[in-house]
Amino acid sequence: MSELRAPQGVRDGENERDSGPTGGGGVLTDGRGRFDLLFEPSGRKVRVPPGVILFDAASWNSVAIDSTCGGHGTCRKCKVQILEGTAPISSLDTRAFSTEELRAGWRLACRVEVVTNLHVEVPPLATRPKAATVGVGRKVILRPAVQKRYVELDEPTLSDQTTDLERLFQSLDDLELRPELAVLRSLGQVLRASDYKVTAVVVDDVLIAVEPGDTTERLFAIAFDLGTTTVVATLLDLSTGTPVAVQSMLNKQQPFGADVITRISAIMMDAKALGQLTRLAHESLDELAQAVCQEGGVDPSEVYEVALAGNATMTHIVLGIDPESLGVAPFIMSTKLFPEILATEVGVHVHARARAVIFPSLGAYVGGDIVAGLLASGMDRDSRLRLFLDIGTNCELVLGNSERLLATAAPAGPAFEGAAIRCGMRAAPGAIEVVKISAAALELGVIGDVEPLGLCGSGLVDVVAELVQLKLIDTTGRFVTDEVAAELAPGVAARLTQLEDQRVFVVHWSAEVGDVARSIFLSQRDVRELQFAKASIATGWRILLEDAGLKVDDLQQVLLAGSFGSYLSPASAVRLGLVPKLPLLRIVSAGNVAGEGAKMALLSLRERAGAMALLEEVEYVELSDRSDFNDQFVDQLAFPD
Ligand code: FES
């Protein structure tokens, strides 16, 4: 079904570690109930749990088996020879092979359930499996939950009294299907009106529609990244894996507050607010769904599945689940996993029986968006030690590799979103996003190349980093005196001035130089806000490193996720101590990984299972009850010397 389910397979890294000597056939497994697979001619050995499909086990372990249908049992190209071990003959095998071939062990790999140790010969590839590059350079072999089958059925006669449904199912006998009532209501009429030439639409094992004629080329899904601030929708062509259209919009819940806490507070204070917020989330999703369909020239009824990745609060709200308990200690979610639902239940009007896949959450503050992001980054399959940072009002951090993953959440406050900063604004046209300051001059980069209106998060980080670099802000976060500024940076010293009771640095003068109040400036209080945010985040990754018994030097890469991560200057982030000090090329922007993870779950059942496996693999570290948090936090308030 369309919910995220426990994986029926294994993780690549795990296989490497588990690979042991391969026995022959037989039904004995190792102590943990696993079977050994040995693939020839590569000699690759893996160990898998019982019931894994051979085709999946091979592709998950980079053993390429021919296929153009991605394991759906329609192309009959996934031929392998079982040299040792037992693989029962499927109904599809009897059509794909002669009796001699079956006797010689030939099987279709996508029909073989592993029930013994197997020694398998894989013929050379004759075709290239359909794959798409998604996420952080992840290659995903297409195997969506949604599939279409075109069939031409014999018309019934007086001597052939087979029912309409049986007739259809007989032509799809390699699948074990369940029909939906809505399909039965129109089945007879569709069959007769189309001369018994129809396309069956199947999601997992459910027949959700029967369409007249051959519509196999028209197969779409929508991936949603439901952010607190922005919602993004990507229309995907499931037959090719390519994105057809992308649209984004501000989350319509904005009037209820900029962050999850203010929205939870609104719900606590007003009994009607949950319903209103749920409706606004639905409207945001549906408006985008209609927009991507229109842009892509796709009828909404051709969209058969949607996937939704959001933080825990957004996910609760969109499903109409009260998120109050997420906002107060001990921060308990209603559930980590969400039941199978229809897209209409989250307000998305596409095919009437389209499914919605909802990403599970690891914790109240490490939600489905992070699970999707981890899936897209492939951290759980990579031996490199990496740190994943998604910086917003809440910063989610994940440290690790295929051996072990540790996650935590650190409250960063609204500074990086431009809120709580005197001249702050969201990253929108007019926001100063880049600031370069030398002793002689100052240069700005403004979104949309228009007159500057304020500082967004990346501009804030830049200006503080540049001032720290020039020593116009000392390591404690204080602006230096006018005299020291004039000596250190004569070209910009006049910008350091006084407004009311505090020191400010003018980043952009209004029409009149000297009119500080109407200019865009950085105040001493803004610097403090940034220090608190960066100290919280730096404490988070330092505690994760300590818990893992590692040092900064052990890190091989920092992945900056989310839109803020895309704009943040790695040099400035290192300068402030916001991220670990690594060579800048090793600090990379990972982009909208939540949306990418949602796409992967739609393109591949294997990846969908991988998201689910992350719930078991990631260890959550709670910072709020750590005795060492306060000491670390105080240490991290200072900027690196
Ligand atoms: Fe296409 Fe097995 S992969 S039939």
Side-chain angles (χ1 to χ4, degrees):
M1 310 310 300
S2 56
E3 73 194 298
L4 288 158
R5 295 184 301 184
Q8 291 214 306
V10 283
R11 325 294 310 162
D12 307 36
E14 187 182 49
N15 289 336
E16 286 290 2
R17 297 194 302 277
D18 280 355
S19 298
T22 303
V27 292
L28 289 180
T29 65
D30 73 336
R32 288 169 296 170
R34 295 174 172 219
F35 293 113
D36 291 319
L37 305 180
L38 170 60
F39 293 100
E40 302 291 3
S42 65
R44 183 111 164 96
K45 296 172 188 172
V46 298
R47 181 166 285 184
V48 300
V52 168
I53 300 299
L54 183 60
F55 180 82
D56 291 340
S59 72
W60 300 357
N61 289 283
S62 310
V63 175
I65 294 181
D66 234 343
S67 162
T68 51
C69 76
H72 278 312
T74 52
C75 70
R76 300 186 195 175
K77 292 187 187 302
C78 57
K79 296 176 177 174
V80 295
Q81 190 176 17
I82 308 295
L83 303 175
E84 283 179 272
T86 305
I89 297 169
S90 72
S91 59
L92 213 57
D93 286 326
T94 56
R95 286 184 236 151
F97 301 107
S98 66
T99 316
E100 289 72 47
E101 286 173 320
L102 289 172
R103 219 175 275 135
W106 285 96
R107 302 285 185 273
L108 292 176
C110 72
R111 302 293 104 177
V112 174
E113 241 182 68
V114 177
V115 291
T116 68
N117 296 332
L118 293 175
H119 186 180
V120 185
E121 178 74 27
V122 180
L125 289 183
T127 55
R128 190 179 275 268
K130 275 192 193 174
T133 302
V134 213
V136 188
R138 299 281 322 279
K139 195 127 185 123
V140 172
I141 293 180
L142 299 192
R143 192 182 173 192
V146 184
Q147 57 171 313
K148 278 190 164 184
R149 298 275 190 96
Y150 173 65
V151 290
E152 297 186 0
L153 308 177
D154 293 333
E155 293 195 19
T157 62
L158 282 175
S159 59
D160 175 5
Q161 292 285 305
T162 310
T163 66
D164 289 337
L165 188 65
E166 276 177 301
R167 191 173 301 278
L168 179 65
F169 279 8
Q170 278 167 5
S171 69
L172 303 166
D173 66 349
D174 58 302
L175 302 174
E176 278 181 29
L177 291 178
R178 294 183 288 122
E180 293 208 327
L181 179 60
V183 176
L184 295 176
R185 286 186 177 135
S186 60
L187 179 62
Q189 193 249 329
V190 172
L191 287 177
R192 288 169 213 10
S194 56
D195 291 333
Y196 290 81
K197 298 183 175 81
V198 292
T199 301
V201 186
V202 174
V203 181
D204 287 326
D205 58 350
V206 184
L207 178 70
I208 68 157
V210 177
E211 299 172 345
D214 184 352
T215 64
T216 45
E217 305 266 282
R218 310 288 297 171
L219 192 63
F220 300 92
I222 299 175
F224 290 105
D225 169 15
L226 178 60
T228 313
T229 309
T230 310
V231 188
V232 185
T234 306
L235 177 67
L236 285 173
D237 183 337
L238 293 179
S239 60
T240 60
T242 48
V244 180
V246 184
Q247 295 269 345
S248 66
M249 69 187 299
L250 279 183
N251 188 325
K252 291 187 172 214
Q253 299 173 336
Q254 286 292 320
F256 282 80
D259 54 48
V260 294
I261 293 300
T262 49
R263 294 195 202 158
I264 293 173
S265 304
I267 290 168
M268 285 167 152
M269 286 185 300
D270 178 359
K272 288 200 224 93
L274 174 59
Q276 291 166 338
L277 283 161
T278 301
R279 182 175 48 76
L280 290 169
H282 289 188
E283 283 176 13
S284 304
L285 296 176
D286 198 39
E287 211 168 284
L288 285 174
Q290 305 313 317
V292 286
C293 284
Q294 192 175 20
E295 185 190 334
V298 168
D299 192 283
S301 67
E302 296 175 311
V303 174
Y304 302 99
E305 196 169 48
V306 306
L308 196 151
N311 62 50
T313 304
M314 285 301 109
T315 306
H316 276 58
I317 293 176
V318 78
L319 295 173
I321 303 172
D322 191 336
E324 262 188 61
S325 59
L326 301 174
V328 287
F331 312 111
I332 301 299
M333 293 188 289
S334 296
T335 173
K336 283 186 176 185
L337 293 167
F338 300 95
E340 178 192 337
I341 59 169
L342 294 177
T344 50
E345 292 177 87
V346 285
V348 178
H349 295 98
V350 286
H351 189 281
R353 286 175 298 285
R355 282 1 191 207
V357 177
I358 311 291
F359 269 79
S361 293
L362 285 161
Y365 289 94
V366 183
D369 51 346
I370 302 305
V371 174
L374 288 178
L375 183 68
S377 70
M379 272 180 80
D380 59 328
R381 297 152 196 228
D382 198 320
S383 58
R384 286 175 298 168
L385 182 72
R386 294 194 282 175
L387 175 68
F388 173 102
L389 288 180
D390 191 338
I391 300 173
T393 47
N394 183 55
C395 177
E396 293 94 358
L397 309 94
V398 186
L399 171 75
N401 58 12
S402 51
E403 295 290 322
R404 190 179 180 200
L405 288 170
L406 295 176
T408 193
F416 296 122
E417 313 243 306
I421 296 299
R422 180 79 183 263
C423 295
M425 67 178 284
R426 187 178 292 132
I432 297 171
E433 58 170 348
V434 179
V435 183
K436 298 256 170 269
I437 310 175
S438 67
L442 177 148
E443 258 178 69
L444 301 180
V446 181
I447 299 177
D449 278 333
V450 293
E451 180 63 17
L453 298 173
L455 275 170
C456 67
S458 62
L460 172 73
V461 170
D462 264 7
V463 69
V464 177
E466 293 286 271
L467 293 174
V468 169
Q469 178 76 27
L470 283 170
K471 297 190 187 306
L472 297 188
I473 292 178
D474 67 21
T475 56
T476 71
R478 234 176 221 285
F479 283 118
V480 295
T481 60
D482 290 348
E483 295 70 40
V484 175
E487 201 176 303
L488 291 174
V492 294
R495 293 172 178 268
L496 191 55
T497 178
Q498 193 78 17
L499 179 67
E500 297 153 12
D501 63 338
Q502 60 176 330
R503 301 275 283 157
V504 299
F505 180 86
V506 177
V507 181
H508 177 71
W509 289 110
S510 65
E512 219 178 299
V513 172
D515 183 356
V516 179
R518 289 169 56 206
S519 297
I520 298 168
F521 57 83
L522 175 81
S523 73
Q524 184 66 71
R525 228 164 274 140
D526 297 337
V527 179
R528 295 287 180 233
E529 283 288 337
L530 181 70
Q531 279 179 284
F532 285 127
K534 90 100 186 169
S536 179
I537 294 167
T539 303
W541 54 256
R542 282 185 185 277
I543 286 182
L544 289 186
L545 280 169
E546 264 176 38
D547 281 13
L550 297 164
K551 295 197 240 23
V552 166
D553 290 347
D554 296 320
L555 276 173
Q556 285 159 294
Q557 194 176 57
V558 174
L559 286 171
L560 298 171
S563 55
F564 181 59
S566 307
Y567 297 111
L568 183 64
S569 147
S572 295
V574 168
R575 187 70 199 81
L576 296 185
L578 180 61
V579 303
K581 190 174 177 192
L582 293 191
L584 296 184
L585 284 176
R586 294 217 227 138
I587 301 171
V588 296
S589 161
N592 175 16
V593 280
E596 290 295 297
K599 280 156 66 176
M600 288 166 71
L602 291 168
L603 294 176
S604 159
L605 282 171
R606 175 214 164 180
E607 299 297 342
R608 196 177 293 187
M612 185 66 196
L614 284 166
L615 290 191
E616 302 294 322
E617 293 170 354
V618 179
E619 299 166 44
Y620 185 70
V621 177
E622 178 59 59
L623 293 183
S624 57
D625 60 353
R626 296 278 298 224
S627 54
D628 52 346
F629 183 87
N630 275 351
D631 290 346
Q632 286 265 17
F633 179 82
V634 171
D635 285 351
Q636 294 307 316
L637 281 170
F639 296 120
D641 197 355

